[in-house]
Amino acid sequence: MASVHENLYFNPMMTNGVVHANVFGIKDWVTPYKISVLALLYDMTASKITLPERRRLNKLILPLQQGPDLTLGQFLKTVEECCPQTAYAVKLRLHEMAEGELKDMEYFFSTLPTPFTAFDTEAYKTSVVGLFMRHMLLAYNKLSFSQVYKLYKSLQHYYHSHFAKPTDGQVSLPALAADDSEMDLTSTEDTVGDRIDKEETDNPLHESELRNDNTPSKGPLSQKQAEYFLARQAYLLKNDENKALKPAALQEELNNMLKFNPDFAEAHYLNYLNSMRVQDIFLSAHSLLHYFDRLILSGNEGKSNGDEGYGRSLRYAALNLASLHCRFGHYQQADLALQEAIRIAQESNDHVCLQHCLSWLYTLEQMRGSDSTVLTEDSVKMAAHFCLPYLASLGIQSLVQQGATQGKTAHKLMDALKALDILHWKHSLSELIEISLAQTTSIWRMYGKSTMALQQAQLLLNMSSLEPVNFGVQQNNTEAFTVALCHLAELHAEQGLYSSVSEILQHLKEQFPPHSQHAKLWMLCDLKIQFDRHMHEGKYHLAEQLVTAVSALNKTEGLYRKAQVLKALNRSTEAYGVLQRLQTHCEKRKCIEVVIRVMLSTAELHWESSGFSTALPLLLQALALARQHHLQSLASEAILHLAYTQLMLGVPQQALTVLHEAIEPILAHGGVMDKGRALLLTARCQMAVAGFRPNGQGQADLHLAVLAVDTLNEAAAYFSKLNCKERLRDVHYLQAQLHRSLGQTSQSNKSAMLFRLLDQELQSPAPTVSMRL
């Protein structure tokens, strides 16, 4: 049984074939904090507590045992939150020992029920609590008299230091000054009996991380504490970065840990993850290489796999290095590292590693803008052959994404995603389920189906994750959740619900701080929403200030919005040059959506010079591309542009016919601005078909004129929601003339007054016929 408890609380590391009992040089078998934990376990068994309190305490036991030592104030506060009655009993028991004599501490250990002698105890001998209690009793019984006395003095200092200083978080705990043989189960000699009490307070233990993640440790950790700290921080970095230590604090903690043991491989890996948070290229690559070097030197893999462990570490080191360069956009270096990993994997006949390499190979080709469909299909087939559902799922999702950009029909893509979800649920791949839902949301938005996109985003946000939730972590901080929330923010912004947008963005800012890896997504989303809002409100000088920030996050989006601002400021020549440069870039990258938007913006530039006939080929080409790729929202936008061009060319009846094709999807899925523009254009076409003349000459069709009035009222409601004053001015101008032709003098005067007020506020000329859509 001696090896059982040693394996539980003691993980020796191999270095050049030599076993080191404790690489950090600290023995913490018996400390005042561990005595407090024993008192907690004893009082949990002795006292009667409610079932909810017992459940909360049971969840607390393992972190208290394996985690870093807490101060007495932190320990009591932690227990009190779960069960105040037990916290008081523990405090009373510690008071009896600390204020009493040495025999009181001896009496506590003698009366402590053990899992092997007391059959009625709840601490079974095979449980975590039972092993911990046996471990502590064996360690205590192994102590010499002088060591027991030192433990008692340390317990007194531990107890009294809590009351000496009111701020528990600032108290430094005394540790037993120990060398490599002190309080070790293998030591039988008293090597520290002659040390003075002052030495007992020379090495303060660090403050606990259990309650305050922002407080790093200040002293060396034991092997078990270090492993617990690293495992917890790595878990938090993956699942809830906000609960992990801040990058600077975690770096300081890791530096302190590596100072005592430079060959601790797991610490180097956590250092690599921490460096990735702040986009530190040099330190992340440095730490990653050190991790694999230490992994090879430690012999952990070679111990189980023979010489194969060495080669395995090398090829996975090269593969991880390739993924690191891919993340930072160093495609040439990534390709070299990937080729090296492929070569070593082929020499070792490692098909699993080769499959991972193939997955990164098609990912690298996608990042370069090349067509990687064939590589992706091969990767999916091989992943299915080697029973690697995770890689197969990622490959299929990549194929779906490529199919969406290449114009595949929606039902084929959704069928593939549906079959993929079955695979996810079968293998409980919750992370991939989230990615699939986020991808479905993006595809529906690309197709212009805002209602379906909203439904998929809500489904993702309300889904219960299959991942085990530890440390109070909520599974809502992955990239998939970020994408879904950004879609929600943009959908609400399109409907003019800016208060809801602010709440969503505020949640994103809190959940994903600026230093986190997914922060760029909501930053770009926030800038785009602000830009569109300023453009709607006619505040072009404010929108122009955002172009630089947008370009820093996404060059393509920045160029497109720069062209929009230049066009709005009547700098047509500069806008045309930007649009041509952007179209060339997007055609090479096959960004079909941006290409269509560039064509529509270029056509609007032709309108400004009354080149309506020259705009028609561009609009027809944009409409053909949108229909070919099933982009309904862009197709409706192109139809609106065509209808406006036909209206300006003098064929309003044909324009009205074309509008009927686009008005239904716009009203069903479009934003408030799109609805208002479509209704305003419809009203103008109705006025033109009715034979309406601004000077009042001729006889107009009263039925169509009344329809136009209703349409204008509805358009005004949409523009008012967005505070779009320039378009409201156009609406009031047309309303005044319509009411006047219908003999409705009071309504005409009211619309004229509203027009005059807006005209004076805007201080910009208002043409009699608007030359924009």
Side-chain angles (χ1 to χ4, degrees), residues 137-152:
L137 288 173
L138 288 175
Y140 179 78
N141 293 330
K142 199 75 173 177
L143 297 179
S144 63
F145 176 78
S146 61
Q147 289 176 323
V148 172
Y149 178 74
K150 286 184 61 178
L151 177 63
Y152 172 68

PDB file of all heavy atoms in Angstrom, residues 137-152:
ATOM      1  N   LEU A 137      -1.635  10.927   7.991  1.00  0.00           N
ATOM      2  CA  LEU A 137      -1.322  10.222   9.241  1.00  0.00           C
ATOM      3  C   LEU A 137       0.029   9.528   9.169  1.00  0.00           C
ATOM      4  O   LEU A 137       0.814   9.545  10.131  1.00  0.00           O
ATOM      5  CB  LEU A 137      -2.421   9.206   9.548  1.00  0.00           C
ATOM      6  CG  LEU A 137      -3.762   9.810  10.010  1.00  0.00           C
ATOM      7  CD1 LEU A 137      -4.821   8.736  10.110  1.00  0.00           C
ATOM      8  CD2 LEU A 137      -3.575  10.514  11.358  1.00  0.00           C
ATOM      9  N   LEU A 138       0.312   8.910   8.033  1.00  0.00           N
ATOM     10  CA  LEU A 138       1.618   8.278   7.877  1.00  0.00           C
ATOM     11  C   LEU A 138       2.739   9.307   7.931  1.00  0.00           C
ATOM     12  O   LEU A 138       3.789   9.079   8.543  1.00  0.00           O
ATOM     13  CB  LEU A 138       1.674   7.514   6.549  1.00  0.00           C
ATOM     14  CG  LEU A 138       0.858   6.222   6.476  1.00  0.00           C
ATOM     15  CD1 LEU A 138       0.918   5.641   5.070  1.00  0.00           C
ATOM     16  CD2 LEU A 138       1.369   5.196   7.489  1.00  0.00           C
ATOM     17  N   ALA A 139       2.516  10.442   7.301  1.00  0.00           N
ATOM     18  CA  ALA A 139       3.547  11.477   7.322  1.00  0.00           C
ATOM     19  C   ALA A 139       3.735  12.033   8.727  1.00  0.00           C
ATOM     20  O   ALA A 139       4.868  12.286   9.174  1.00  0.00           O
ATOM     21  CB  ALA A 139       3.159  12.609   6.348  1.00  0.00           C
ATOM     22  N   TYR A 140       2.627  12.222   9.446  1.00  0.00           N
ATOM     23  CA  TYR A 140       2.720  12.762  10.812  1.00  0.00           C
ATOM     24  C   TYR A 140       3.427  11.779  11.744  1.00  0.00           C
ATOM     25  O   TYR A 140       4.265  12.171  12.566  1.00  0.00           O
ATOM     26  CB  TYR A 140       1.323  13.095  11.327  1.00  0.00           C
ATOM     27  CG  TYR A 140       1.317  13.638  12.733  1.00  0.00           C
ATOM     28  CD1 TYR A 140       1.675  14.965  12.977  1.00  0.00           C
ATOM     29  CD2 TYR A 140       0.966  12.832  13.810  1.00  0.00           C
ATOM     30  CE1 TYR A 140       1.691  15.466  14.280  1.00  0.00           C
ATOM     31  CE2 TYR A 140       0.970  13.321  15.111  1.00  0.00           C
ATOM     32  CZ  TYR A 140       1.334  14.646  15.342  1.00  0.00           C
ATOM     33  OH  TYR A 140       1.335  15.139  16.616  1.00  0.00           O
ATOM     34  N   ASN A 141       3.082  10.511  11.635  1.00  0.00           N
ATOM     35  CA  ASN A 141       3.702   9.504  12.495  1.00  0.00           C
ATOM     36  C   ASN A 141       5.182   9.321  12.199  1.00  0.00           C
ATOM     37  O   ASN A 141       5.927   8.800  13.030  1.00  0.00           O
ATOM     38  CB  ASN A 141       2.982   8.164  12.343  1.00  0.00           C
ATOM     39  CG  ASN A 141       1.559   8.223  12.883  1.00  0.00           C
ATOM     40  OD1 ASN A 141       1.265   8.989  13.813  1.00  0.00           O
ATOM     41  ND2 ASN A 141       0.672   7.432  12.305  1.00  0.00           N
ATOM     42  N   LYS A 142       5.600   9.758  11.017  1.00  0.00           N
ATOM     43  CA  LYS A 142       6.999   9.624  10.632  1.00  0.00           C
ATOM     44  C   LYS A 142       7.863  10.745  11.200  1.00  0.00           C
ATOM     45  O   LYS A 142       9.099  10.659  11.211  1.00  0.00           O
ATOM     46  CB  LYS A 142       7.079   9.645   9.097  1.00  0.00           C
ATOM     47  CG  LYS A 142       8.351   9.071   8.524  1.00  0.00           C
ATOM     48  CD  LYS A 142       8.338   7.559   8.619  1.00  0.00           C
ATOM     49  CE  LYS A 142       9.531   6.969   7.892  1.00  0.00           C
ATOM     50  NZ  LYS A 142       9.579   5.505   8.024  1.00  0.00           N
ATOM     51  N   LEU A 143       7.221  11.809  11.698  1.00  0.00           N
ATOM     52  CA  LEU A 143       7.970  12.961  12.182  1.00  0.00           C
ATOM     53  C   LEU A 143       8.668  12.644  13.503  1.00  0.00           C
ATOM     54  O   LEU A 143       8.153  11.913  14.353  1.00  0.00           O
ATOM     55  CB  LEU A 143       7.036  14.159  12.390  1.00  0.00           C
ATOM     56  CG  LEU A 143       6.330  14.718  11.158  1.00  0.00           C
ATOM     57  CD1 LEU A 143       5.428  15.880  11.555  1.00  0.00           C
ATOM     58  CD2 LEU A 143       7.331  15.157  10.103  1.00  0.00           C
ATOM     59  N   SER A 144       9.840  13.246  13.678  1.00  0.00           N
ATOM     60  CA  SER A 144      10.534  13.158  14.967  1.00  0.00           C
ATOM     61  C   SER A 144       9.918  14.168  15.937  1.00  0.00           C
ATOM     62  O   SER A 144       9.073  14.978  15.559  1.00  0.00           O
ATOM     63  CB  SER A 144      12.023  13.448  14.780  1.00  0.00           C
ATOM     64  OG  SER A 144      12.199  14.781  14.311  1.00  0.00           O
ATOM     65  N   PHE A 145      10.369  14.139  17.199  1.00  0.00           N
ATOM     66  CA  PHE A 145       9.779  15.024  18.195  1.00  0.00           C
ATOM     67  C   PHE A 145      10.019  16.492  17.824  1.00  0.00           C
ATOM     68  O   PHE A 145       9.129  17.334  17.946  1.00  0.00           O
ATOM     69  CB  PHE A 145      10.357  14.725  19.571  1.00  0.00           C
ATOM     70  CG  PHE A 145       9.873  15.666  20.626  1.00  0.00           C
ATOM     71  CD1 PHE A 145       8.611  15.516  21.179  1.00  0.00           C
ATOM     72  CD2 PHE A 145      10.666  16.739  21.053  1.00  0.00           C
ATOM     73  CE1 PHE A 145       8.142  16.394  22.145  1.00  0.00           C
ATOM     74  CE2 PHE A 145      10.199  17.629  22.009  1.00  0.00           C
ATOM     75  CZ  PHE A 145       8.937  17.457  22.560  1.00  0.00           C
ATOM     76  N   SER A 146      11.245  16.807  17.403  1.00  0.00           N
ATOM     77  CA  SER A 146      11.547  18.201  17.064  1.00  0.00           C
ATOM     78  C   SER A 146      10.720  18.667  15.874  1.00  0.00           C
ATOM     79  O   SER A 146      10.278  19.822  15.816  1.00  0.00           O
ATOM     80  CB  SER A 146      13.036  18.360  16.764  1.00  0.00           C
ATOM     81  OG  SER A 146      13.405  17.560  15.662  1.00  0.00           O
ATOM     82  N   GLN A 147      10.461  17.769  14.938  1.00  0.00           N
ATOM     83  CA  GLN A 147       9.645  18.151  13.781  1.00  0.00           C
ATOM     84  C   GLN A 147       8.190  18.359  14.185  1.00  0.00           C
ATOM     85  O   GLN A 147       7.518  19.253  13.670  1.00  0.00           O
ATOM     86  CB  GLN A 147       9.752  17.075  12.695  1.00  0.00           C
ATOM     87  CG  GLN A 147      11.104  17.051  12.019  1.00  0.00           C
ATOM     88  CD  GLN A 147      11.215  15.908  11.028  1.00  0.00           C
ATOM     89  OE1 GLN A 147      10.692  14.813  11.268  1.00  0.00           O
ATOM     90  NE2 GLN A 147      11.909  16.153   9.928  1.00  0.00           N
ATOM     91  N   VAL A 148       7.698  17.537  15.122  1.00  0.00           N
ATOM     92  CA  VAL A 148       6.335  17.730  15.618  1.00  0.00           C
ATOM     93  C   VAL A 148       6.223  19.065  16.328  1.00  0.00           C
ATOM     94  O   VAL A 148       5.239  19.808  16.166  1.00  0.00           O
ATOM     95  CB  VAL A 148       5.931  16.579  16.560  1.00  0.00           C
ATOM     96  CG1 VAL A 148       4.592  16.878  17.229  1.00  0.00           C
ATOM     97  CG2 VAL A 148       5.863  15.267  15.798  1.00  0.00           C
ATOM     98  N   TYR A 149       7.250  19.412  17.101  1.00  0.00           N
ATOM     99  CA  TYR A 149       7.223  20.698  17.804  1.00  0.00           C
ATOM    100  C   TYR A 149       7.242  21.866  16.807  1.00  0.00           C
ATOM    101  O   TYR A 149       6.531  22.861  16.979  1.00  0.00           O
ATOM    102  CB  TYR A 149       8.421  20.785  18.755  1.00  0.00           C
ATOM    103  CG  TYR A 149       8.493  22.103  19.495  1.00  0.00           C
ATOM    104  CD1 TYR A 149       7.615  22.390  20.537  1.00  0.00           C
ATOM    105  CD2 TYR A 149       9.435  23.070  19.133  1.00  0.00           C
ATOM    106  CE1 TYR A 149       7.666  23.606  21.208  1.00  0.00           C
ATOM    107  CE2 TYR A 149       9.491  24.283  19.795  1.00  0.00           C
ATOM    108  CZ  TYR A 149       8.607  24.548  20.839  1.00  0.00           C
ATOM    109  OH  TYR A 149       8.663  25.754  21.492  1.00  0.00           O
ATOM    110  N   LYS A 150       8.045  21.734  15.777  1.00  0.00           N
ATOM    111  CA  LYS A 150       8.085  22.777  14.749  1.00  0.00           C
ATOM    112  C   LYS A 150       6.740  22.895  14.052  1.00  0.00           C
ATOM    113  O   LYS A 150       6.284  24.000  13.724  1.00  0.00           O
ATOM    114  CB  LYS A 150       9.180  22.464  13.727  1.00  0.00           C
ATOM    115  CG  LYS A 150      10.587  22.703  14.229  1.00  0.00           C
ATOM    116  CD  LYS A 150      11.601  22.472  13.127  1.00  0.00           C
ATOM    117  CE  LYS A 150      11.341  23.435  11.996  1.00  0.00           C
ATOM    118  NZ  LYS A 150      12.322  23.281  10.918  1.00  0.00           N
ATOM    119  N   LEU A 151       6.095  21.770  13.785  1.00  0.00           N
ATOM    120  CA  LEU A 151       4.772  21.794  13.162  1.00  0.00           C
ATOM    121  C   LEU A 151       3.777  22.506  14.071  1.00  0.00           C
ATOM    122  O   LEU A 151       2.948  23.298  13.604  1.00  0.00           O
ATOM    123  CB  LEU A 151       4.312  20.362  12.880  1.00  0.00           C
ATOM    124  CG  LEU A 151       2.899  20.221  12.298  1.00  0.00           C
ATOM    125  CD1 LEU A 151       2.800  20.895  10.934  1.00  0.00           C
ATOM    126  CD2 LEU A 151       2.525  18.743  12.184  1.00  0.00           C
ATOM    127  N   TYR A 152       3.872  22.251  15.371  1.00  0.00           N
ATOM    128  CA  TYR A 152       2.967  22.912  16.310  1.00  0.00           C
ATOM    129  C   TYR A 152       3.201  24.416  16.328  1.00  0.00           C
ATOM    130  O   TYR A 152       2.254  25.214  16.327  1.00  0.00           O
ATOM    131  CB  TYR A 152       3.172  22.309  17.705  1.00  0.00           C
ATOM    132  CG  TYR A 152       2.431  23.049  18.793  1.00  0.00           C
ATOM    133  CD1 TYR A 152       1.038  23.035  18.859  1.00  0.00           C
ATOM    134  CD2 TYR A 152       3.136  23.779  19.759  1.00  0.00           C
ATOM    135  CE1 TYR A 152       0.362  23.726  19.853  1.00  0.00           C
ATOM    136  CE2 TYR A 152       2.480  24.466  20.761  1.00  0.00           C
ATOM    137  CZ  TYR A 152       1.080  24.441  20.805  1.00  0.00           C
ATOM    138  OH  TYR A 152       0.415  25.126  21.776  1.00  0.00           O
TER     139      TYR A 152
END
